[in-house]
Amino acid sequence: MSTQGSEYVATGATSGLSNLTLQGPPSLPMWATSPLNPALASFSIETAFFEEYMGNSSSPNTLSQALFENLSNRTGVPAEVRIGGITADSAFWDGNLNQALYNFIDSSGALINTTLGPAFWEVVELLPNETNIVFTLGLESLNYTGALYMAEAMWAGLRDSSVNISRFEIGNEPDQYSIHLNAQNYTEYWEPWSGNISKDLGVNYPEFQIGATAIDPLWPYNTSAADAQFDCVSALAAGADDGHTAKTCSEHTYQYSVCDPTRAAIATLPNLVNHTRLAMYLDLWQPRIHSVREQLGPDSFVIGEFNSVSCSGRDNVSNTFGQAMWLLDTTLYAASINVSRVYVHQGGPLALQSSTQLNHGGLSLYNLWYPIENQNGPIQVFPAYSAYLFVAEAIGHSTSLQIANIFPGRQANGSSITTADGDPSAGQVVVYGFWDETSSYGLNYPSKLALLNMQIYNQTDTGARPNVTFDILAYLPDANQVITAKRLTAPGADVKAANVTTWAGQNFASGYGEGQYVDETLSGGKIDVEASSAVLVFW
């Protein structure tokens, strides 16, 4: 194996690593990221389901409000919220509507369109103060007037409100429209629409998010077929930003799917909870990330919609603590390859999404919580929510924190992962380091480490729960350094209950931390991390 940066010594069987000794060097690696955006862990909420999530001005959804506030309290910056998804392309404005939102559902149960009225902006204002909003305007019908009216209504309704209009997005997943857009004809709409809407609103700076495409990049990337794909890079090359309206690029990632039986067969918990698999998947976007950042700036590439399993998730996979481990690793790995923000999607199964999809009705199985009772279950918080608490506390209130993947590390050929050729844990052990130039150690030592043990352990398993002992002594500024540890854990990866999922000893099933708060004080540089758990250590 050939890696740059951290060397390590591992003992134990390949399929069950028991010890990992990191040997440094402890200084900031050359491939570390730009400073992390405090809103790294953000949300995308389907337009048609937004009121279900937030309630209304007379009856706010206090569970959703508490869960959002938990994150902003830990970073000082609210998670960003994208209001969009597939229903944004069939959403219309009616200034005379006497309710916030109306969904037209036909006799077959299909959601045909969504109408927003003036009270909708009051619903948006139920988000934490200073929340940055990304709002998706419709493109699929090629109705510029409709998109303009919606933008005007939002600008008038929220311009002086407690939340911020961060960016407009024009169209959701335009690479999957039935009208067969490509980079060139998409640009022929997107560039003048973004320019004319900016002029109409009196905006003279970039206020738009380009892309929102969904089809995975082809590999290898430097081929004529890959270059011909419709994505942010090809749209920019076609002149989409000639009017200088593009602020960010968004692309969507769903690693697995139950939209059809073939893909559903591999949407399993062991496949989901594996670092090698998720890193190889996200690495497909690295060439695009590099290109977009060179053109639009270091904070410009976002994963504007993502989750574990498309077509609304899979029972016993997306609603488990295993998804919490996947969400944590996905968010941190994306950050380590310079994705600025990731927006985990919340919504419900849509009847017209796929004729062969597994899910129908209710709210999505991959949602981090159910704000209302629905056919898929009662009001509840799912284990995956606590992964975002981990991320928020890892970032804290710093605006200069940088991240790098320490283990498996980066190969000499530039890949950010090591596969079977170099990772003795078979994708089950991951270490991230966080450096902060404002800390007392500067960039010579990390100030925090995230230790992840992705090995699947289910609550129904018999026998002792495996663990890995991480020796991090080489990354500590002093051999006698006392460290603090906070754990993300549950009885097993298959757990679906938030009341037994704990972050730093507390569960968040009610929306608030309940139970005895626990942070451990350790010395000696060794930390045991059980299978299907993660630890944040800092000093």
Side-chain angles (χ1 to χ4, degrees):
M1 182 195 74
S2 176
T3 60
Q4 300 176 2
S6 175
E7 296 292 331
Y8 60 88
V9 178
T11 61
T14 299
S15 61
L17 189 69
S18 59
N19 294 279
L20 180 71
T21 301
L22 302 175
Q23 295 186 340
S27 56
L28 183 75
M30 62 182 294
W31 63 85
T33 64
S34 300
L36 296 178
N37 191 304
L40 167 64
S42 287
F43 293 87
S44 168
I45 302 178
E46 193 71 48
T47 304
F49 294 93
F50 191 78
E51 188 178 13
E52 293 182 52
Y53 263 82
M54 298 311 302
N56 54 53
S57 58
S58 60
S59 182
N61 190 290
T62 55
L63 175 64
S64 292
Q65 288 183 310
L67 295 171
F68 281 120
E69 290 287 357
N70 289 337
L71 301 175
S72 59
N73 289 342
R74 285 163 168 77
T75 62
V77 175
E80 293 194 3
V81 174
R82 170 194 183 240
I83 304 171
I86 193 171
T87 59
D89 271 310
S90 56
F92 304 94
W93 171 253
D94 182 352
N96 295 315
L97 189 68
N98 60 3
Q99 60 192 89
L101 180 152
Y102 174 75
N103 287 323
F104 174 64
I105 300 173
D106 70 10
S107 58
S108 72
L111 198 163
I112 303 300
N113 58 49
T114 299
T115 305
L116 306 184
F120 184 78
W121 313 125
E122 297 175 11
V123 176
V124 177
E125 288 186 298
L126 296 174
L127 290 164
N129 289 346
E130 302 303 321
T131 297
N132 283 335
I133 304 298
V134 180
F135 190 84
T136 308
L137 306 172
L139 174 64
E140 188 171 17
S141 64
L142 304 183
N143 178 5
Y144 169 73
T145 302
L148 175 63
Y149 286 168
M150 187 71 82
E152 289 176 334
M154 185 180 191
W155 199 256
L158 293 176
R159 183 171 48 193
D160 300 316
S161 76
S162 59
V163 300
N164 305 315
I165 302 173
S166 176
R167 300 179 301 290
F168 287 109
E169 190 174 67
I170 303 175
N172 175 77
E173 300 182 356
D175 54 339
Q176 301 209 87
Y177 288 170
S178 60
I179 55 175
H180 302 299
L181 293 184
N182 55 35
Q184 186 60 51
N185 56 21
Y186 166 82
T187 294
E188 291 171 0
Y189 293 105
W190 195 93
E191 195 275 335
W193 281 32
S194 63
N196 289 334
I197 291 172
S198 295
K199 291 175 184 176
D200 181 85
L201 300 179
V203 178
N204 58 3
Y205 54 90
E207 195 73 35
F208 285 82
Q209 180 159 284
I210 197 169
T213 52
I215 297 174
D216 295 348
L218 294 173
W219 189 265
Y221 70 94
N222 54 349
T223 64
S224 56
D227 289 343
Q229 283 191 279
F230 170 21
D231 57 76
C232 285
V233 175
S234 59
L236 291 171
D241 194 37
D242 284 356
H244 307 294
T245 53
K247 185 176 184 179
T248 51
C249 149
S250 165
E251 298 196 13
H252 297 176
T253 65
Y254 285 89
Q255 191 173 353
Y256 296 97
S257 179
V258 290
C259 294
D260 56 76
T262 301
R263 286 183 290 173
I266 61 171
T268 65
L269 200 59
N271 282 345
L272 182 73
V273 190
N274 182 277
H275 176 75
T276 298
R277 283 178 172 269
L278 74 84
M280 290 178 69
Y281 179 67
L282 290 178
D283 273 351
L284 295 174
W285 275 266
Q286 285 215 49
R288 296 183 182 178
I289 295 168
H290 295 317
S291 178
V292 168
R293 293 177 76 240
E294 287 176 357
Q295 296 180 73
L296 299 181
D299 202 45
S300 60
F301 190 96
V302 305
I303 294 177
E305 180 184 318
F306 81 111
N307 217 305
S308 55
V309 181
S310 68
C311 281
S312 291
R314 183 164 201 169
D315 191 22
N316 297 315
V317 177
S318 302
N319 49 4
T320 68
F321 184 73
Q323 165 134 329
M325 295 298 299
W326 169 86
L327 180 60
L328 176 61
D329 195 19
T330 294
T331 302
L332 295 180
Y333 189 75
S336 80
I337 58 174
N338 281 302
V339 175
S340 173
R341 279 143 292 174
V342 296
Y343 300 72
V344 67
H345 195 55
Q346 313 294 290
L350 300 165
L352 299 180
Q353 195 169 2
S354 166
S355 61
T356 57
Q357 68 191 46
L358 196 62
N359 299 310
H360 301 276
L363 292 176
S364 296
L365 295 164
Y366 56 45
N367 290 1
L368 301 196
W369 68 90
Y370 286 164
I372 61 169
E373 184 174 359
N374 66 98
Q375 74 176 50
N376 290 324
I379 296 171
Q380 61 187 299
V381 179
F382 289 101
Y385 171 76
S386 292
Y388 262 20
L389 293 173
F390 187 118
V391 173
E393 289 200 31
I395 295 173
H397 288 255
S398 175
T399 57
S400 54
L401 200 69
Q402 296 173 260
I403 190 175
N405 180 240
I406 295 175
F407 182 86
R410 177 163 290 189
Q411 290 180 307
N413 67 2
S415 173
S416 294
I417 62 162
T418 54
T419 57
D421 185 40
D423 178 4
S425 79
Q428 294 178 340
V429 175
V430 196
V431 181
Y432 296 94
F434 300 87
W435 286 258
D436 192 336
E437 65 180 4
T438 65
S439 75
S440 56
Y441 315 110
L443 300 179
N444 294 319
Y445 290 90
S447 57
K448 301 173 185 176
L449 295 175
L451 314 175
L452 283 61
N453 186 345
M454 307 279 281
Q455 181 180 354
I456 297 272
Y457 177 82
N458 291 324
Q459 63 179 336
T460 54
D461 289 347
T462 58
R465 188 169 185 167
N467 72 273
V468 174
T469 299
F470 291 77
D471 187 334
I472 64 169
L473 190 60
Y475 281 82
L476 300 179
D478 189 298
N480 299 314
Q481 184 75 51
V482 175
I483 63 175
T484 301
K486 295 185 178 183
R487 295 183 184 270
L488 175 65
T489 190
D494 55 344
V495 163
K496 297 195 284 188
N499 64 351
V500 293
T501 298
T502 59
W503 165 243
Q506 295 186 308
N507 78 75
F508 288 80
S510 69
Y512 300 93
E514 295 185 339
Q516 181 66 42
Y517 175 83
V518 177
D519 56 16
E520 303 168 37
T521 300
L522 305 168
S523 60
K526 292 185 178 180
I527 305 100
D528 289 339
V529 183
E530 290 184 322
S532 297
S533 73
V535 180
L536 178 66
V537 296
F538 50 97
W539 48 88

